[in-house]
Amino acid sequence: MMTLKEVQYLIKHIEQGTLEEKEDLRNEREKKDNIQRIVLKLIEEFGELAENIRKNTRFNGKNIKGTIEEEVFDVFYYTIAIANEYGIELEKVFEIKDKINQEKYEREFSLEEGRENYKKKIYKKSEY
Ligand SMILES: [Mg+2]
C-alpha cells in the first residue's frame, strides 16, 4: 500500500526526472511558469476525463488508454504535482480539512474511526 507521502515523493521525482535530492535552483518566474503548465495539463486531463465519462469507457484489464481509469490517474497525478510545487503535505492537510468537513457535514464518524474500521476490514479479508 502506498501512502500519500510516498505518492508525493514519487511524483516529485518523476517531475524532476531524477531520484537525486537536488536543491531547487529555479527562480520565482520559473516556478510560476511550471505551476501554470501543470494547471493547464490538469484542465486538459479533466476534459479527457469528462469525455471518457460521457462515453463510459472503462479499463478492461488490458488497455488502459482512453479510459476513465487512465484519466482519473492523470487528474490525480497533476493535482499531486501542484501540491508538491507548493510544498504541501497532503496527509496533514487531509486531517485538518477533514475535521472541518466532519463538523460542517455533521458526519457521525471521525477520520480515526474510519481508519480503524478500514484496518479491521483489511484484517478480516486476509483471514480468508
Ligand atoms: Mg490523459
Side-chain angles (χ1 to χ4, degrees):
M1 190 177 79
M2 271 191 259
T3 63
L4 254 179
K5 203 173 213 156
E6 190 178 348
V7 168
Q8 284 194 262
Y9 172 87
L10 291 170
I11 292 175
K12 175 187 146 191
H13 286 282
I14 293 166
E15 286 291 302
Q16 275 182 358
T18 173
L19 281 173
E20 262 175 58
E21 286 302 334
K22 52 184 191 181
E23 198 187 335
D24 190 353
L25 298 171
R26 298 172 304 171
N27 62 36
E28 288 310 304
R29 179 77 247 171
E30 289 168 320
K31 283 183 196 172
K32 197 177 172 194
D33 285 351
N34 193 44
I35 290 166
Q36 288 181 359
R37 174 190 68 83
I38 297 168
V39 170
L40 286 177
K41 279 299 296 175
L42 179 60
I43 294 167
E44 189 181 315
E45 298 301 346
F46 263 122
E48 292 174 4
L49 176 60
E51 185 184 357
N52 284 298
I53 286 173
R54 181 174 57 79
K55 294 179 177 169
N56 193 31
T57 48
R58 299 298 309 268
F59 177 47
N60 59 9
K62 284 175 191 155
N63 188 7
I64 200 166
K65 271 280 178 219
T67 63
I68 293 170
E69 283 79 356
E70 179 188 28
E71 306 312 339
V72 165
F73 171 84
D74 289 345
V75 166
F76 178 73
Y77 179 97
Y78 288 111
T79 302
I80 300 292
I82 292 168
N84 284 348
E85 282 294 328
Y86 287 101
I88 294 168
E89 292 181 47
L90 283 171
E91 285 184 358
K92 271 189 196 161
V93 174
F94 193 99
E95 285 184 22
I96 295 165
K97 182 64 183 157
D98 184 72
K99 272 201 185 84
I100 295 166
N101 285 350
Q102 190 193 342
E103 276 181 38
K104 186 176 172 187
Y105 301 109
E106 297 172 359
R107 198 180 68 221
E108 61 184 22
F109 66 89
S110 68
L111 204 57
E112 265 318 302
E113 288 169 312
R115 292 178 76 188
E116 283 306 312
N117 206 52
Y118 174 76
K119 279 182 212 156
K120 271 186 234 156
K121 222 175 107 181
I122 290 292
Y123 178 68
K124 263 187 202 157
K125 261 191 189 169
S126 64
E127 279 182 334
Y128 288 111

